[in-house]
Amino acid sequence: NNILDISFCPTCFVEIRGKVFKIRRIGKLTFIILFDQTDKCQIVAENINTRTIQKGDYLLVRGEKKSSERSLEILAKEISILNNLKSENLGSRILESKIDSLIYKSIALQSINEFMGRKSFLPVISPTIVGNWVEGKTNSFRVDYYGKDKYLTLNNMLYHQIMLISGYSRIYEMSKIFRQDKSSHRDRLSEFISVDISMSFSESSDIMTLVEDLILFIIERFSAHKIEVKVPINFKRISFSN
């Protein structure tokens, strides 16, 4: 089982596999944070030889599940090392914050797809390699496309407009957008994922309501994974006159 499976498992005795993310020894007790791509849980080992276990190892753990509303814990009865990895291994040096970021992004992307599907939006994918039709201050990344100059897309607006006038009235897209900007910083990345929503016969208030509901839906999904996100319940709207 993976960690997410056992978090909803009613049985007390479980068996899981995962990677050692943290390990701490206090007397005869060893506390191990085990991680897989679904979640994390704490392994408590008492009177079990854990001296050969180190950060980065993959373990098979059998034991008794002890969980609460806020955390998942397993009292280990048996621990086996599936493959021993030295601490200098690149994978073992990945920071916990980076792993959390991957999980958060995954939850957000899945939530967006689920929400937009419920709202009857059609997911679309625009071309990535395009002609240089976008005008603006940001430069495009030029690529050699079979001997011709093409560019990585800066914007998929043109393709969405074509689809809207062709009768596709509710579409959305999550795709990579690229821009060449020497002054890039955290909120001006050269490569990022953009969520674009296009609707026919709609007002600006319709789009704002949709986006607000989408944000609340994502937060709801985070809560289901026991991840707390603090946001205001009501969104303040600012008019053009302000």
Side-chain angles (χ1 to χ4, degrees), residues 9-14 63-66 74:
C9 178
T11 59
C12 291
F13 194 84
V14 296
E64 185 179 354
K65 187 180 80 167
K66 302 285 186 180
I74 295 175

Side-chain angles (χ1 to χ4, degrees), residues 10-165:
T11 59
C12 291
F13 194 84
V14 296
E15 174 184 298
I16 63 168
R17 295 169 177 81
K19 181 176 181 177
V20 177
F21 216 86
K22 289 183 179 179
I23 184 166
R24 182 163 56 98
R25 297 177 176 89
I26 303 177
K28 295 182 179 180
L29 288 176
T30 301
F31 298 91
I32 301 171
I33 301 299
L34 204 64
F35 165 83
D36 69 9
Q37 70 176 39
T38 62
D39 210 340
K40 290 180 290 187
C41 75
Q42 178 170 266
I43 309 298
V44 181
E46 184 176 8
N47 298 320
I48 296 178
N49 185 4
T50 62
R51 287 178 296 177
T52 59
I53 298 175
Q54 58 183 327
K55 184 179 178 181
D57 288 344
Y58 283 86
L59 304 182
L60 167 64
V61 180
R62 296 184 178 93
E64 185 179 354
K65 187 180 80 167
K66 302 285 186 180
S67 59
S68 64
E69 292 184 359
R70 301 296 300 173
S71 62
L72 178 64
E73 186 175 279
I74 295 175
L75 180 59
K77 302 298 183 182
E78 179 184 345
I79 299 178
S80 302
I81 300 177
L82 298 178
N83 54 322
N84 189 275
L85 300 177
K86 294 183 178 180
S87 59
E88 59 265 29
N89 178 274
L90 177 62
S92 67
R93 297 205 302 265
I94 298 177
L95 297 177
E96 184 174 3
S97 60
K98 299 296 184 182
I99 296 295
D100 287 341
S101 296
L102 291 174
I103 295 175
Y104 300 157
K105 181 189 290 185
S106 175
I107 295 172
L109 293 178
Q110 292 176 25
S111 300
I112 293 170
N113 280 320
E114 181 180 354
F115 177 86
M116 299 306 288
R118 291 185 180 187
K119 297 293 183 179
S120 301
F121 278 80
L122 180 70
V124 298
I125 301 176
S126 300
T128 300
I129 300 176
V130 299
N132 190 23
W133 59 270
V134 177
E135 294 183 359
K137 296 181 179 179
T138 303
N139 295 321
S140 304
F141 285 97
R142 181 184 287 111
V143 296
D144 186 336
Y145 187 74
Y146 299 104
K148 296 182 179 179
D149 284 343
K150 297 293 181 180
Y151 304 86
L152 298 181
T153 184
L154 285 169
N155 194 306
N156 49 35
M157 179 179 61
L158 176 62
Y159 302 98
H160 283 213
Q161 290 176 344
I162 293 174
M163 295 198 70
L164 290 176
I165 64 176

Side-chain angles (χ1 to χ4, degrees), residues 29 56 85 91 96 108 111 123 134 146 166 200-201 208 210 226 238:
L29 288 176
L85 300 177
E96 184 174 3
S111 300
V134 177
Y146 299 104
S166 299
S200 298
F201 316 110
M208 287 190 285
L210 180 71
K226 302 177 182 178
I238 301 175

